[in-house]
Amino acid sequence: MDIKAEVVEVDELDQEVVKLHENKVREQLTDIEEAKSFEHLKKISHMTNKQIAKHAGVSESYVTQKIDILSYPECLYNALATNQISFSAARELCRIS
């Protein structure tokens, strides 16, 4: 069996974007892993959430909501990390003051 491959040189930003796409396709990322990936991409590229969303093929609000996970109160973050609550439940609980 032959496998065709193309070797392409890319800069660090393009490498991170490709890595994000590959991880989403290959394995189901947790909400926290996805949030960390978006935040990492934001830090190294200085892209806006809108630009990240365009590269990732999702909406800007999706990226913003995922990155917001990283600033959730510890109890919500931990509950989400241990699958005790869903992302949508954590998001709604975070809105309650």
Side-chain angles (χ1 to χ4, degrees):
M1 171 165 50
D2 291 331
I3 299 175
K4 293 184 180 189
E6 182 178 346
V7 177
V8 180
E9 288 191 36
V10 295
D11 61 20
E12 184 180 4
L13 172 58
D14 289 336
Q15 183 180 13
E16 290 298 323
V17 170
V18 168
K19 185 168 62 172
L20 177 64
H21 280 289
E22 286 179 352
N23 285 339
K24 284 187 75 165
V25 170
R26 186 177 358 179
E27 58 188 69
Q28 183 66 27
L29 295 178
T30 67
D31 294 307
I32 292 173
E33 290 170 333
E34 194 168 23
K36 288 179 178 179
S37 293
F38 287 149
E39 183 66 18
H40 177 70
L41 187 55
K42 191 172 184 174
K43 282 181 182 178
I44 66 162
S45 70
H46 305 290
M47 287 195 298
T48 64
N49 290 358
K50 186 175 187 175
Q51 292 168 317
I52 292 171
K54 184 177 178 183
H55 283 286
V58 296
S59 70
E60 180 181 359
S61 65
Y62 181 90
V63 172
T64 300
Q65 290 174 12
K66 294 296 180 169
I67 291 174
D68 285 348
I69 290 171
L70 303 176
S71 60
Y72 281 2
E74 186 177 355
C75 61
L76 288 179
Y77 183 94
N78 290 339
L80 183 58
T82 57
N83 293 317
Q84 293 175 338
I85 60 173
S86 68
F87 165 68
S88 57
R91 185 183 65 228
E92 292 305 315
L93 288 169
C94 194
R95 291 180 182 170
I96 299 171
S97 322

